[in-house]
Amino acid sequence: MTEISQQIADLGASLFHRRLTHGRTGNISARSGDGLLITPTGGSLGDLSPDGLSFVSLAGEHLSGPRPSKEAFLHAALYRARPAAGAVVHLHSTYSVAVSCHDGLDPDDALPPLTAYYVMRVGRLPLLPYHAPGDPALGPIAERAARTAHALLLANHGPIVAGGDLGSAADAVEELEETARLWLLLRERPIRPLTPEQVRSLT
Ligand SMILES: O=C(CO)COP(=O)(O)O
Ligand SMILES: [Zn+2]
C-alpha cells in the first residue's frame, strides 16, 4: 500500500460521506509511475480499501489488481491529454448531473462564470454528448476536449475533472458542484455573470 492509495481511499470516503456521490457511483484515480491507480468497478467510494485499487496503463489496459472502474479508459484519456494531471475524479454529484440533463446548454462551455472561484478552479466546462457509462466511444471525444479544459461534463451523467493532484481535482469538482447548485437556484432570476474582462483578470 502506498501513500497515494491511502489518499484515494480517504478522498473517496470524504466525498461519499458528504453525499457528493452516492451508492456505487463515481471513481477516482491518481497517476502512479507510468500508469494510474484507480478505484475498482462496482464498489462504493465510501468503502475503499487502499490495498484494493487497480493499476491500469495510460493506454487504459488493466495491469494488476481487481477489475478497474469501467471508466478507466476515460481517466486514461484525460492523463494522455494533460501531461501535468496527477489525479482524476468522476462523480454523480446531484446538481452537476441536473445541469448535465438540461437542454440548450452551450456544448463549448456549459455554465456561465458566476463567481471568481468558479473561474479559478473550473474555468471552461465542455459538455460531452451522452454515451452509456463505460462506452469506449467517449474516449477520443474526451481526450480531444481535455486538451483545452480540465473539467468536462458528461451529458445525462456527471462531471469528470483532472487536477495536478487529488486535492486539486477534488477542489475543482466540488467548486463545480456548488456552482451548478447556484446556477439552478438562480434560474428564475436574471443573472449577471462576471464580465469577460473580470474573467481575464483571474486567468
Ligand atoms: O460512475 C460510474 C460509472 O460511470 C461507476 O462505475 P465503476 O463502479 O465501474 O467505477
Ligand atoms: Zn458515472
Side-chain angles (χ1 to χ4, degrees):
M1 197 249 289
T2 61
E3 194 184 327
I4 200 93
S5 312
Q6 186 63 55
Q7 287 172 9
I8 290 175
D10 291 347
L11 176 61
S14 164
L15 294 169
F16 183 85
H17 292 300
R18 289 181 293 135
R19 297 195 60 83
L20 282 150
T21 207
H22 59 274
R24 293 182 289 165
T25 65
N27 25 77
I28 302 174
S29 68
R31 204 189 280 270
S32 172
D34 52 4
L36 47 134
L37 274 170
I38 188 163
T39 49
T41 190
S44 163
L45 290 193
D47 191 25
L48 291 169
S49 158
D51 295 320
L53 300 177
S54 315
F55 192 61
V56 167
S57 74
L58 282 184
E61 46 171 359
H62 182 198
L63 298 176
S64 64
R67 195 145 74 89
S69 166
K70 66 171 83 69
E71 310 294 13
F73 73 97
L74 214 48
H75 289 241
L78 266 64
Y79 290 110
R80 291 195 303 270
R82 307 188 68 79
V88 173
V89 177
H90 163 60
L91 300 176
H92 291 196
S93 38
T94 307
Y95 293 94
S96 303
V97 177
V99 168
S100 85
C101 300
H102 262 264
D103 205 4
L105 296 172
D106 176 356
D108 279 339
D109 195 2
L111 284 176
L114 290 181
T115 68
Y117 262 76
Y118 178 73
V119 172
M120 295 187 301
R121 298 287 191 258
V122 178
R124 199 170 64 82
L125 180 68
L127 175 73
L128 305 194
Y130 175 78
H131 288 70
D135 181 348
L138 190 53
I141 299 170
E143 187 167 347
R144 205 172 316 121
R147 288 191 195 120
T148 55
H150 66 279
L152 310 173
L153 188 60
L154 313 179
N156 303 82
H157 186 166
I160 183 163
V161 174
D165 55 23
L166 285 161
S168 306
D171 202 5
V173 79
E174 289 185 42
E175 192 65 39
L176 169 52
E177 175 65 357
E178 292 307 316
T179 305
R181 186 175 178 192
L182 284 176
W183 186 71
L184 291 164
L185 273 174
L186 291 165
R187 273 192 77 70
E188 300 305 315
R189 324 201 33 147
I191 292 178
R192 175 177 36 73
L194 300 193
T195 63
E197 192 178 313
Q198 287 168 333
V199 169
R200 265 196 305 278
S201 79
L202 294 164
T203 50

